[in-house]
Amino acid sequence: MDLRQAVVLALTQALGDDVDKIGDLSRALSQPPRPEMGDLAFGCFPLARVFKKAPVEIAKELADRIECGGLIQKAEAAGPFV
């Protein structure tokens, strides 16, 4: 498993049953806006419509739910990104 797959799996687990409302998570991963933010970023903008919350709030909640270990050293919210 590579990092991208590990992140998709972690996001899938963190979203639980709501993951079916999102679509293809691997397509939503991108390079972070700034290199110091890490290797991959997940913008929570599409989730705002689904959950009717601000992307910043969703990012904080997701970052708290992601289980770290293995390839994922840490998950943290940076504005609307995890």
Side-chain angles (χ1 to χ4, degrees):
M1 177 180 309
D2 67 5
L3 178 60
R4 189 174 203 83
Q5 292 169 324
V7 171
V8 168
L9 179 60
L11 285 168
T12 300
Q13 291 170 343
L15 288 165
D17 293 337
D18 291 324
V19 75
D20 294 334
K21 301 173 187 173
I22 310 306
D24 187 1
L25 290 175
S26 65
R27 294 184 65 208
L29 295 177
S30 63
Q31 293 294 328
R34 295 187 315 269
E36 63 271 11
M37 293 174 75
D39 296 313
L40 288 172
F42 177 73
C44 295
F45 305 104
L47 300 180
R49 283 179 254 125
V50 174
F51 296 121
K52 300 192 182 352
K53 293 182 181 180
V56 172
E57 186 179 335
I58 296 168
K60 289 177 188 175
E61 291 174 9
L62 269 181
D64 288 342
R65 286 193 233 157
I66 291 175
E67 292 186 31
C68 297
L71 293 174
I72 301 174
Q73 293 178 2
K74 70 178 176 175
E76 59 187 17
F81 293 92
V82 177

